[in-house]
């Protein structure tokens, strides 16, 4: 969890500390200047003391700083790592992170101090920018200028490989600056069923009246499926809760490999829920996911799909979606991998809280919203991939009275939910935001532990689901693939009751795939010293499946 604490107490504490630092630096500069002035010179005139005035000191301090950039006056551990300042039109503004936290210069936010590795750095690293826009062209057509004025092919900019000698061709590659970015949405070209976009991202597919659109609710769970959560899933998806078409309610599970029980994954898939990829390693270094190569992404996600297919006996090619750990978007590399490995959709990109909320879109054209989040790396190029965007939820207790608050994407990150009653009100408010506006699919994104560790929240959620299903004949709990199937072929609330793609695996019955799965104690050369359990209805493989040996057969 990240913090940016700007309470009056914090500002006062930081201001006192910063004032002391400024005075210390200014005194040191004055002393240095006066010492230099006192050096022997061939003159009988005694030089006047040199004084560094406040305005020139602040101007020098703020020179070359970006708008809104926080920086340190003094590098170091302890309080120095908690204190930062910012140049504003009204002077220097200071903050101090709360106890136990430190300020991460690169992320530009407070974080747990053990996670901050740049206490000895005063400011963000300055990157050289290419010369993309000038009054008079510097280069011939089809070429652009590096920071040093050297011209190279336009197609080489923002391709992940530094081609300018100063590396500047890879330093200005966001949605606004990538010279090879995807074009803005063109509805005349982007046509269903293969492409969907709109200028604002809020338009209903098929130009249906929103009141005729079934309200889709996407319940998802991230991480391993195992004995810690299978009972919770059985209670929630008990075969009694039905959509208006008579089929069981459905959900999507983004499965990470380590600690997953693949007999449990197989049973959830048999029940008609969707299984999607969430990586093999769930690498704890968040920056890994932002900088991973196309090959890294393929090993993690295509490898995870191979493992699930093999050990959960999923043979219908239904694993077509993915979500990155920590919701860290991997830029163009991630989406290039998805095209190459035939993934249909991603659900990692978060959209800031807005009304009305966004519909899913394809990435043939430019995203209809800004890239949201600290150090996120959103795709800029055109990709043949759907994005099931994660609309932030409104977490205010009383939306008619409370001041605006930032939204939250994963429900367990909505830190102000403290009781079942609050959670129930939160669910109703966000349902109404979608249902009474453009009926964009409502995403409820969970980690199972949040519900398991808070039985009051679980009870509130089950009560709310039952109430919604009882009150509305046009609300469906569906998988993410089912959402895409509807967008590709929009149906009214009346027509959707007979929509064939939503009737597949309608209400499966029968025994589980295997009563007693194999419990395999395995090792792998990739994780020396670790013995890991693999639960599967299949025979045990020779090795624990991992990045370079996803089949577990020992063929690296």
């Amino acid at each position: 969890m990240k913090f940016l604490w700007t309470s009056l107490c914090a500002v006062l504490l930081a201001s006192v500390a910063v004032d002391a630092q400024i005075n210390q630096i200014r005194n040191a500069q004055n002393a240095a200047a006066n010492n230099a002035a006192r050096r022997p010179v061939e003159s009988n005139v005694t030089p006047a003391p040199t004084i560094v005035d406040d305005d020139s000191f602040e101007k020098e301090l703020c020179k070359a700083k970006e708008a809104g950039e926080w920086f340190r006056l003094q590098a170091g551990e302890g309080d120095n790592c908690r204190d930062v300042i910012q140049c504003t039109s009204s002077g220097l503004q200071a903050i101090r992170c709360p106890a136990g936290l430190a300020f991460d210069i690169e992320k530009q936010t407070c974080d747990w101090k053990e996670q901050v590795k740049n206490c000895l750095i005063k400011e963000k690293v300055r990157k050289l920018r290419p010369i993309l826009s000038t009054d008079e062209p510097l280069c011939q057509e089809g070429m652009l200028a590096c920071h040093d004025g050297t011209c190279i092919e336009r197609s080489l900019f923002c391709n992940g490989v530094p081609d300018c000698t100063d590396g500047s061709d890879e330093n200005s590659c966001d949605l606004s600056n990538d010279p090879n970015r995807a074009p803005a949405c063109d509805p005349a070209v982007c046509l269903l069923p293969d492409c969907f976009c709109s200028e604002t991202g809020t338009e209903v597919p098929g130009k249906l009246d929103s009141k005729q659109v079934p309200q889709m609710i996407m319940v998802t769970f991230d991480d391993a499926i195992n004995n810690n959560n299978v009972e919770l899933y059985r209670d929630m998806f008990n075969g009694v809760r039905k959509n208006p078409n008579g089929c069981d309610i459905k959900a999507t599970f983004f499965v990470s490999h380590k600690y997953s029980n693949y007999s449990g994954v197989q049973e959830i898939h048999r029940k008609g829920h969707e299984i999607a990829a969430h990586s093999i390693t769930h690498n704890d270094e968040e920056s890994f996911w932002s900088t991973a190569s196309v090959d890294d992404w393929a090993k993690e996600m295509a490898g995870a799909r191979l493992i699930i297919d093999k050990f959960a006996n999923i043979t219908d090619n239904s694993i077509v979606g993915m979500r990155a750990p920590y919701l860290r978007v991997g830029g163009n590399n991630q989406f290039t991998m998805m095209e190459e490995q035939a993934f249909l959709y991603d659900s990692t990109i978060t959209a800031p809280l807005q009304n009305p909320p966004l519909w899913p879109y394809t990435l043939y054209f430019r995203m209809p919203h800004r890239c949201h989040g600290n150090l996120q790396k959103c795709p800029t190029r055109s990709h043949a991939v759907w994005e099931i965007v994660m609309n932030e939820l409104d977490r205010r207790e009383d939306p008619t009275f409370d001041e605006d608050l930032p939204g939250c994407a994963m429900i367990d990150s909505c830190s102000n939910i403290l009781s079942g009653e609050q959670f129930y009100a939160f669910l109703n408010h966000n349902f109404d935001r979608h249902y009474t506006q453009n009926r964009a699919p409502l995403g409820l994104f969970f980690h199972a532990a949040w519900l398991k560790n808070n039985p009051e929240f679980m009870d509130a959620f089950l009560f709310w689901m039952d109430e919604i299903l009882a009150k509305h004949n046009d609300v469906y709990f569906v998988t993410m693939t089912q959402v895409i199937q509807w967008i590709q072929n929009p149906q009214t609330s009346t027509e959707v009751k007979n929509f064939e793609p939503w009737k597949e695996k309608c209400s499966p019955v029968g025994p589980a795939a295997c009563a007693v799965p194999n419990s395999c104690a395995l090792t792998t050369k990739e994780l020396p010293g670790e013995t890991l359990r693999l639960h599967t209805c299949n025979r045990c493989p020779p090795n624990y499946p991992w990045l370079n040996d996803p089949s577990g057969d020992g063929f690296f």
Side-chain angles (χ1 to χ4, degrees):
M1 184 182 296
K2 308 293 189 288
F3 301 88
L4 190 57
W5 194 50
T6 56
S7 68
L8 178 62
C9 179
V11 171
L12 290 174
L13 283 172
S15 296
V16 171
V18 168
D19 285 345
Q21 291 180 10
I22 289 175
N23 289 332
Q24 186 177 349
I25 293 170
R26 189 183 288 118
N27 291 338
Q29 289 181 340
N30 286 333
N34 289 324
N35 285 338
R38 292 191 189 99
R39 287 174 186 154
V41 292
E42 294 180 2
S43 170
N44 294 324
V45 180
T46 303
T50 302
I51 303 297
V52 179
D53 66 83
D54 290 357
D55 287 343
S56 62
F57 177 79
E58 187 173 316
K59 188 178 293 185
E60 182 65 24
L61 202 60
C62 295
K63 185 171 66 178
K65 297 292 189 298
E66 297 176 3
E69 178 185 345
W70 296 97
F71 59 96
R72 307 187 208 284
L73 276 177
Q74 291 186 342
E77 302 293 340
D79 287 346
N80 286 337
C81 199
R82 295 169 61 195
D83 295 334
V84 286
I85 62 172
Q86 182 186 60
C87 299
T88 71
S89 57
S90 56
L92 298 175
Q93 178 187 352
I95 64 166
R96 167 173 284 182
C97 295
L101 304 182
F103 196 88
D104 191 308
I105 285 292
E106 288 303 318
K107 294 180 181 177
Q108 290 285 288
T109 188
C110 296
D111 199 353
W112 303 114
K113 63 182 180 182
E114 60 270 16
Q115 299 294 326
V116 177
K117 311 297 182 186
N118 49 39
C119 289
L120 301 181
I121 298 173
K122 288 186 178 181
E123 60 187 55
K124 291 197 301 183
V125 176
R126 303 282 165 216
K127 293 183 178 179
L128 298 176
R129 305 289 182 182
I131 306 171
L132 300 179
S133 179
T134 56
D135 294 335
E136 295 294 329
L138 296 179
C139 306
Q140 64 189 62
E141 190 174 349
M143 304 185 83
L144 291 171
C146 304
H147 181 79
D148 62 6
T150 304
C151 295
I152 65 172
E153 293 287 339
R154 180 191 188 99
S155 60
L156 297 176
F157 279 74
C158 300
N159 65 353
V161 179
D163 294 290
C164 294
T165 54
D166 56 19
S168 59
D169 57 308
E170 299 301 317
N171 291 342
S172 192
C173 295
D174 59 16
L175 279 169
S176 302
N177 294 303
D178 183 349
N180 301 297
R181 62 188 178 275
C185 174
D186 184 348
V189 175
C190 185
L191 301 174
L192 293 172
D194 298 321
C195 182
F196 177 69
C197 70
S198 67
E199 184 177 347
T200 62
T202 62
E203 292 181 20
V204 178
K207 300 192 181 300
L208 292 181
D209 182 343
S210 62
K211 292 183 176 59
Q212 295 181 305
V213 173
Q215 178 62 63
M216 292 168 273
I217 299 178
M218 306 173 295
V219 176
T220 76
F221 292 93
D222 288 11
D223 299 337
I225 294 174
N226 52 39
N227 292 338
N228 291 327
N229 47 44
V230 289
E231 284 299 326
L232 180 144
Y233 299 145
R234 287 195 192 105
D235 291 343
M236 188 174 294
F237 307 106
N238 56 7
V240 175
R241 295 184 177 90
K242 303 283 186 182
N243 282 322
N245 64 355
C247 295
D248 295 347
I249 63 171
K250 300 294 196 298
T252 302
F253 295 80
F254 292 95
V255 179
S256 53
H257 168 50
K258 203 173 186 182
Y259 310 121
S260 270
N261 180 326
Y262 287 101
S263 65
V265 175
Q266 184 171 345
E267 178 62 10
I268 285 173
H269 176 259
R270 187 187 72 82
K271 291 281 192 179
H273 302 288
E274 180 174 4
I275 304 299
H278 192 48
S279 82
I280 291 178
T281 66
H282 206 286
N283 192 316
D284 291 336
E285 187 60 51
E286 291 184 35
S287 62
F288 167 81
W289 302 103
S290 298
T291 59
S293 67
V294 174
D295 188 51
D296 290 333
W297 278 104
K299 285 182 177 181
E300 288 281 5
M301 297 301 175
R305 177 170 59 187
L306 190 154
I307 291 172
I308 298 168
D309 281 345
K310 178 172 181 178
F311 295 103
N313 290 302
I314 296 178
T315 59
D316 56 3
N317 298 314
S318 62
I319 303 177
V320 294
M322 61 152 283
R323 176 176 288 162
Y326 307 107
L327 305 185
R328 298 302 296 189
V329 188
N332 293 314
N333 284 347
Q334 174 190 337
F335 291 86
T336 297
M337 177 281 297
M338 293 183 69
E339 290 181 283
E340 292 177 354
Q341 300 294 334
F343 279 95
L344 174 67
Y345 73 84
D346 168 71
S347 184
T348 303
I349 297 176
T350 300
L353 175 64
Q354 69 167 65
N355 289 307
L358 298 173
W359 276 85
Y361 50 83
T362 51
L363 285 164
Y364 289 109
F365 292 90
R366 204 175 304 162
M367 288 166 42
H369 59 93
R370 64 184 172 86
C371 188
H372 183 52
N374 288 319
L375 295 185
Q376 284 287 32
K377 192 175 181 183
C378 293
T380 57
R381 306 293 177 90
S382 179
H383 299 281
V385 174
W386 284 84
E387 180 59 39
I388 310 290
V389 64
M390 301 178 71
N391 284 301
E392 282 192 334
L393 300 168
D394 189 345
R395 60 193 177 96
R396 291 175 295 170
E397 284 193 46
D398 184 353
T400 61
F401 176 76
D402 290 351
E403 63 182 24
D404 289 344
L405 291 173
C408 46
M410 298 296 294
I411 287 183
D412 49 17
S413 70
C414 304
S415 55
N416 61 321
I417 299 175
L418 302 175
S419 70
E421 186 178 343
Q422 283 180 312
F423 186 34
Y424 174 75
F426 165 90
L427 290 167
N428 277 325
H429 168 56
N430 283 287
F431 174 81
D432 290 342
R433 284 179 53 240
H434 287 248
Y435 189 75
T436 61
Q437 296 192 86
N438 63 352
R439 297 206 179 172
L442 169 62
L444 301 175
F445 311 124
F446 293 97
H447 291 97
W450 188 79
L451 291 171
K452 183 178 180 180
N453 294 337
N454 298 280
E456 187 180 356
F457 296 166
M458 178 67 170
D459 291 341
F461 187 52
L462 296 181
F463 179 83
W464 176 81
M465 283 200 297
D466 292 337
E467 186 176 69
I468 288 292
L469 290 168
K471 282 184 177 180
H472 300 277
N473 62 1
D474 55 357
V475 176
Y476 289 76
F477 289 82
V478 293
T479 69
M480 289 194 160
T481 291
Q482 287 177 323
V483 169
I484 293 174
Q485 289 169 331
W486 185 92
I487 295 173
Q488 291 177 318
N489 184 12
Q491 311 272 307
T492 66
S493 300
T494 303
E495 295 167 338
V496 83
K497 290 183 178 180
N498 297 310
F499 189 41
E500 283 303 318
W502 285 13
K503 289 201 162 187
E504 292 180 12
K505 293 190 176 180
C506 181
S507 299
V509 294
C514 60
V516 183
N518 291 315
S519 178
C520 315
L522 302 171
T523 60
T524 172
K525 294 177 183 177
E526 298 181 74
L527 298 171
E530 286 193 57
T531 299
L532 296 156
R533 287 278 171 185
L534 181 77
H535 296 88
T536 175
C537 294
N538 294 353
R539 66 171 181 82
C540 295
N543 303 286
Y544 188 74
W546 204 246
L547 283 175
N548 295 308
D549 180 23
S551 68
D553 291 328
F555 302 118
F556 281 75

